[in-house]
mmCIF file of all heavy atoms in Angstrom:
data_model
loop_
_atom_site.group_PDB
_atom_site.id
_atom_site.type_symbol
_atom_site.label_atom_id
_atom_site.label_comp_id
_atom_site.label_asym_id
_atom_site.label_seq_id
_atom_site.Cartn_x
_atom_site.Cartn_y
_atom_site.Cartn_z
ATOM 1 N N HIS A 103 108.354 96.494 107.294
ATOM 2 C CA HIS A 103 107.252 96.034 108.109
ATOM 3 C C HIS A 103 106.212 95.216 107.393
ATOM 4 O O HIS A 103 105.880 94.085 107.758
ATOM 5 C CB HIS A 103 106.566 97.205 108.821
ATOM 6 C CG HIS A 103 105.399 96.850 109.737
ATOM 7 N ND1 HIS A 103 104.108 97.032 109.264
ATOM 8 C CD2 HIS A 103 105.320 96.204 110.938
ATOM 9 C CE1 HIS A 103 103.288 96.602 110.183
ATOM 10 N NE2 HIS A 103 104.024 96.045 111.188
ATOM 11 N N SER A 104 105.815 95.704 106.209
ATOM 12 C CA SER A 104 104.711 95.000 105.379
ATOM 13 C C SER A 104 105.341 93.639 104.920
ATOM 14 O O SER A 104 104.561 92.627 105.023
ATOM 15 C CB SER A 104 104.355 95.928 104.192
ATOM 16 O OG SER A 104 103.689 95.261 103.405
ATOM 17 N N LEU A 105 106.564 93.618 104.489
ATOM 18 C CA LEU A 105 107.160 92.422 104.002
ATOM 19 C C LEU A 105 107.271 91.399 105.087
ATOM 20 O O LEU A 105 107.096 90.225 104.886
ATOM 21 C CB LEU A 105 108.492 92.691 103.341
ATOM 22 C CG LEU A 105 108.558 93.410 101.983
ATOM 23 C CD1 LEU A 105 109.897 93.916 101.710
ATOM 24 C CD2 LEU A 105 108.037 92.547 100.881
ATOM 25 N N THR A 106 107.626 91.806 106.290
ATOM 26 C CA THR A 106 107.748 90.988 107.492
ATOM 27 C C THR A 106 106.425 90.271 107.842
ATOM 28 O O THR A 106 106.359 89.217 108.164
ATOM 29 C CB THR A 106 108.311 91.722 108.649
ATOM 30 O OG1 THR A 106 109.685 92.267 108.193
ATOM 31 C CG2 THR A 106 108.669 90.865 109.751
ATOM 32 N N CYS A 107 105.373 91.259 107.836
ATOM 33 C CA CYS A 107 104.070 90.676 108.153
ATOM 34 C C CYS A 107 103.548 89.644 107.086
ATOM 35 O O CYS A 107 102.878 88.650 107.406
ATOM 36 C CB CYS A 107 103.039 91.758 108.159
ATOM 37 S SG CYS A 107 103.394 92.845 109.721
ATOM 38 N N LYS A 108 103.946 89.892 105.853
ATOM 39 C CA LYS A 108 103.561 88.860 104.785
ATOM 40 C C LYS A 108 104.402 87.555 105.062
ATOM 41 O O LYS A 108 103.830 86.497 104.904
ATOM 42 C CB LYS A 108 104.071 89.387 103.427
ATOM 43 C CG LYS A 108 103.005 90.426 102.926
ATOM 44 C CD LYS A 108 103.439 90.953 101.555
ATOM 45 C CE LYS A 108 102.486 92.086 101.080
ATOM 46 N NZ LYS A 108 102.917 92.615 99.834
ATOM 47 N N MET A 109 105.690 87.629 105.496
ATOM 48 C CA MET A 109 106.456 86.540 105.894
ATOM 49 C C MET A 109 105.772 85.726 106.996
ATOM 50 O O MET A 109 105.721 84.527 106.905
ATOM 51 C CB MET A 109 107.790 86.921 106.219
ATOM 52 C CG MET A 109 108.749 85.731 106.499
ATOM 53 S SD MET A 109 109.145 84.645 105.107
ATOM 54 C CE MET A 109 110.428 85.580 104.385
ATOM 55 N N ARG A 110 105.246 86.404 107.939
ATOM 56 C CA ARG A 110 104.632 85.879 109.104
ATOM 57 C C ARG A 110 103.309 85.065 108.698
ATOM 58 O O ARG A 110 103.036 84.043 109.119
ATOM 59 C CB ARG A 110 104.286 86.874 110.033
ATOM 60 C CG ARG A 110 103.630 86.420 111.454
ATOM 61 C CD ARG A 110 103.487 87.554 112.344
ATOM 62 N NE ARG A 110 102.698 87.108 113.482
ATOM 63 C CZ ARG A 110 101.747 87.717 113.982
ATOM 64 N NH1 ARG A 110 101.380 88.846 113.504
ATOM 65 N NH2 ARG A 110 100.928 87.254 114.940
ATOM 66 N N ILE A 111 102.580 85.705 107.798
ATOM 67 C CA ILE A 111 101.303 85.076 107.342
ATOM 68 C C ILE A 111 101.612 83.757 106.584
ATOM 69 O O ILE A 111 100.791 82.837 106.665
ATOM 70 C CB ILE A 111 100.586 85.976 106.379
ATOM 71 C CG1 ILE A 111 100.058 87.210 107.214
ATOM 72 C CG2 ILE A 111 99.425 85.303 105.656
ATOM 73 C CD1 ILE A 111 99.458 88.318 106.373
ATOM 74 N N LEU A 112 102.836 83.659 105.868
ATOM 75 C CA LEU A 112 103.046 82.423 105.240
ATOM 76 C C LEU A 112 103.128 81.153 106.241
ATOM 77 O O LEU A 112 102.847 80.116 105.822
ATOM 78 C CB LEU A 112 104.438 82.523 104.470
ATOM 79 C CG LEU A 112 104.484 83.299 103.193
ATOM 80 C CD1 LEU A 112 105.914 83.300 102.745
ATOM 81 C CD2 LEU A 112 103.605 82.581 102.189
ATOM 82 N N ASN A 113 103.600 81.418 107.381
ATOM 83 C CA ASN A 113 103.523 80.428 108.438
ATOM 84 C C ASN A 113 104.345 79.250 108.006
ATOM 85 O O ASN A 113 103.840 78.059 108.027
ATOM 86 C CB ASN A 113 102.232 80.169 108.865
ATOM 87 C CG ASN A 113 102.134 79.475 110.269
ATOM 88 O OD1 ASN A 113 103.104 79.515 110.983
ATOM 89 N ND2 ASN A 113 101.104 78.743 110.417
ATOM 90 N N LEU A 114 105.717 79.402 107.571
ATOM 91 C CA LEU A 114 106.421 78.311 107.158
ATOM 92 C C LEU A 114 106.882 77.568 108.472
ATOM 93 O O LEU A 114 107.049 78.194 109.451
ATOM 94 C CB LEU A 114 107.763 78.803 106.448
ATOM 95 C CG LEU A 114 107.539 79.466 105.111
ATOM 96 C CD1 LEU A 114 108.776 80.047 104.708
ATOM 97 C CD2 LEU A 114 107.025 78.361 104.118
ATOM 98 N N ASN A 115 107.101 76.329 108.333
ATOM 99 C CA ASN A 115 107.401 75.511 109.489
ATOM 100 C C ASN A 115 108.980 75.511 109.524
ATOM 101 O O ASN A 115 109.616 74.358 109.670
ATOM 102 C CB ASN A 115 106.869 74.067 109.351
ATOM 103 C CG ASN A 115 105.359 74.090 109.497
ATOM 104 O OD1 ASN A 115 104.842 74.878 110.242
ATOM 105 N ND2 ASN A 115 104.661 73.166 108.755
ATOM 106 N N ILE A 116 109.611 76.631 109.489
ATOM 107 C CA ILE A 116 110.978 76.681 109.584
ATOM 108 C C ILE A 116 111.296 77.683 110.721
ATOM 109 O O ILE A 116 110.991 78.869 110.633
ATOM 110 C CB ILE A 116 111.714 77.268 108.319
ATOM 111 C CG1 ILE A 116 111.298 76.312 107.092
ATOM 112 C CG2 ILE A 116 113.189 77.296 108.387
ATOM 113 C CD1 ILE A 116 111.567 76.832 105.752
ATOM 114 N N TYR A 117 111.953 77.210 111.781
ATOM 115 C CA TYR A 117 112.160 78.040 113.006
ATOM 116 C C TYR A 117 112.810 79.334 112.733
ATOM 117 O O TYR A 117 112.408 80.468 113.082
ATOM 118 C CB TYR A 117 112.967 77.216 114.072
ATOM 119 C CG TYR A 117 113.428 78.196 115.211
ATOM 120 C CD1 TYR A 117 112.309 78.718 116.108
ATOM 121 C CD2 TYR A 117 114.688 78.688 115.286
ATOM 122 C CE1 TYR A 117 112.776 79.566 117.093
ATOM 123 C CE2 TYR A 117 115.061 79.544 116.259
ATOM 124 C CZ TYR A 117 114.108 79.985 117.190
ATOM 125 O OH TYR A 117 114.485 80.836 118.145
ATOM 126 N N PRO A 118 113.983 79.319 111.947
ATOM 127 C CA PRO A 118 114.606 80.643 111.664
ATOM 128 C C PRO A 118 113.659 81.679 110.995
ATOM 129 O O PRO A 118 113.887 82.899 111.180
ATOM 130 C CB PRO A 118 115.754 80.358 110.811
ATOM 131 C CG PRO A 118 116.018 78.870 111.100
ATOM 132 C CD PRO A 118 114.736 78.267 111.246
ATOM 133 N N THR A 119 112.582 81.193 110.447
ATOM 134 C CA THR A 119 111.607 82.201 109.751
ATOM 135 C C THR A 119 111.011 82.943 110.855
ATOM 136 O O THR A 119 110.682 84.154 110.873
ATOM 137 C CB THR A 119 110.657 81.457 108.773
ATOM 138 O OG1 THR A 119 111.338 80.672 107.887
ATOM 139 C CG2 THR A 119 109.710 82.407 108.047
ATOM 140 N N HIS A 120 110.447 82.243 111.895
ATOM 141 C CA HIS A 120 109.863 82.923 113.113
ATOM 142 C C HIS A 120 110.834 83.919 113.684
ATOM 143 O O HIS A 120 110.509 84.908 114.141
ATOM 144 C CB HIS A 120 109.320 81.875 113.920
ATOM 145 C CG HIS A 120 108.408 80.812 113.461
ATOM 146 N ND1 HIS A 120 107.188 81.184 113.011
ATOM 147 C CD2 HIS A 120 108.500 79.538 113.247
ATOM 148 C CE1 HIS A 120 106.594 80.147 112.503
ATOM 149 N NE2 HIS A 120 107.393 79.088 112.621
ATOM 150 N N LEU A 121 112.096 83.427 113.846
ATOM 151 C CA LEU A 121 113.099 84.283 114.417
ATOM 152 C C LEU A 121 113.340 85.626 113.630
ATOM 153 O O LEU A 121 113.380 86.643 114.114
ATOM 154 C CB LEU A 121 114.469 83.554 114.586
ATOM 155 C CG LEU A 121 115.586 84.252 115.230
ATOM 156 C CD1 LEU A 121 115.369 84.743 116.520
ATOM 157 C CD2 LEU A 121 116.900 83.472 115.040
ATOM 158 N N LEU A 122 113.328 85.451 112.268
ATOM 159 C CA LEU A 122 113.449 86.572 111.436
ATOM 160 C C LEU A 122 112.281 87.549 111.571
ATOM 161 O O LEU A 122 112.489 88.779 111.695
ATOM 162 C CB LEU A 122 113.520 86.114 109.908
ATOM 163 C CG LEU A 122 113.523 87.212 108.918
ATOM 164 C CD1 LEU A 122 114.700 88.143 109.057
ATOM 165 C CD2 LEU A 122 113.467 86.720 107.489
ATOM 166 N N VAL A 123 111.093 86.963 111.611
ATOM 167 C CA VAL A 123 109.910 87.842 111.813
ATOM 168 C C VAL A 123 109.984 88.608 113.047
ATOM 169 O O VAL A 123 109.808 89.872 113.033
ATOM 170 C CB VAL A 123 108.599 87.069 111.612
ATOM 171 C CG1 VAL A 123 107.427 87.866 112.079
ATOM 172 C CG2 VAL A 123 108.416 86.514 110.272
ATOM 173 N N THR A 124 110.260 87.954 114.196
ATOM 174 C CA THR A 124 110.495 88.573 115.425
ATOM 175 C C THR A 124 111.571 89.599 115.468
ATOM 176 O O THR A 124 111.305 90.733 116.000
ATOM 177 C CB THR A 124 110.724 87.556 116.510
ATOM 178 O OG1 THR A 124 109.655 86.574 116.509
ATOM 179 C CG2 THR A 124 110.756 88.138 117.931
ATOM 180 N N THR A 125 112.659 89.297 114.873
ATOM 181 C CA THR A 125 113.808 90.247 114.849
ATOM 182 C C THR A 125 113.497 91.477 114.119
ATOM 183 O O THR A 125 113.768 92.642 114.607
ATOM 184 C CB THR A 125 114.943 89.521 114.198
ATOM 185 O OG1 THR A 125 115.419 88.286 114.910
ATOM 186 C CG2 THR A 125 116.243 90.440 114.102
ATOM 187 N N VAL A 126 112.932 91.407 112.979
ATOM 188 C CA VAL A 126 112.538 92.616 112.115
ATOM 189 C C VAL A 126 111.506 93.534 112.852
ATOM 190 O O VAL A 126 111.522 94.648 112.951
ATOM 191 C CB VAL A 126 112.193 92.270 110.664
ATOM 192 C CG1 VAL A 126 111.795 93.569 109.934
ATOM 193 C CG2 VAL A 126 113.424 91.620 109.996
ATOM 194 N N LEU A 127 110.442 92.753 113.305
ATOM 195 C CA LEU A 127 109.461 93.445 114.046
ATOM 196 C C LEU A 127 109.966 94.198 115.266
ATOM 197 O O LEU A 127 109.543 95.322 115.564
ATOM 198 C CB LEU A 127 108.264 92.569 114.403
ATOM 199 C CG LEU A 127 107.445 91.992 113.266
ATOM 200 C CD1 LEU A 127 106.388 91.078 113.761
ATOM 201 C CD2 LEU A 127 106.753 93.047 112.435
ATOM 202 N N ASN A 128 110.838 93.608 115.958
ATOM 203 C CA ASN A 128 111.442 94.255 117.115
ATOM 204 C C ASN A 128 112.332 95.397 116.658
ATOM 205 O O ASN A 128 112.427 96.471 117.330
ATOM 206 C CB ASN A 128 112.314 93.213 117.918
ATOM 207 C CG ASN A 128 111.452 92.324 118.814
ATOM 208 O OD1 ASN A 128 110.255 92.595 119.027
ATOM 209 N ND2 ASN A 128 112.123 91.172 119.157
ATOM 210 N N SER A 129 112.902 95.274 115.523
ATOM 211 C CA SER A 129 113.773 96.286 114.949
ATOM 212 C C SER A 129 112.948 97.648 114.576
ATOM 213 O O SER A 129 113.387 98.701 114.832
ATOM 214 C CB SER A 129 114.703 95.909 113.711
ATOM 215 O OG SER A 129 115.362 96.914 113.210
#
Side-chain angles (χ1 to χ4, degrees):
H103 174 257
S104 173
L105 290 167
T106 305
C107 292
K108 285 179 185 177
M109 179 70 84
R110 181 174 171 225
I111 290 170
L112 282 178
N113 198 20
L114 292 172
N115 292 327
I116 302 170
Y117 170 74
T119 307
H120 302 294
L121 180 62
L122 173 66
V123 168
T124 303
T125 303
V126 176
L127 291 177
N128 286 340
S129 176

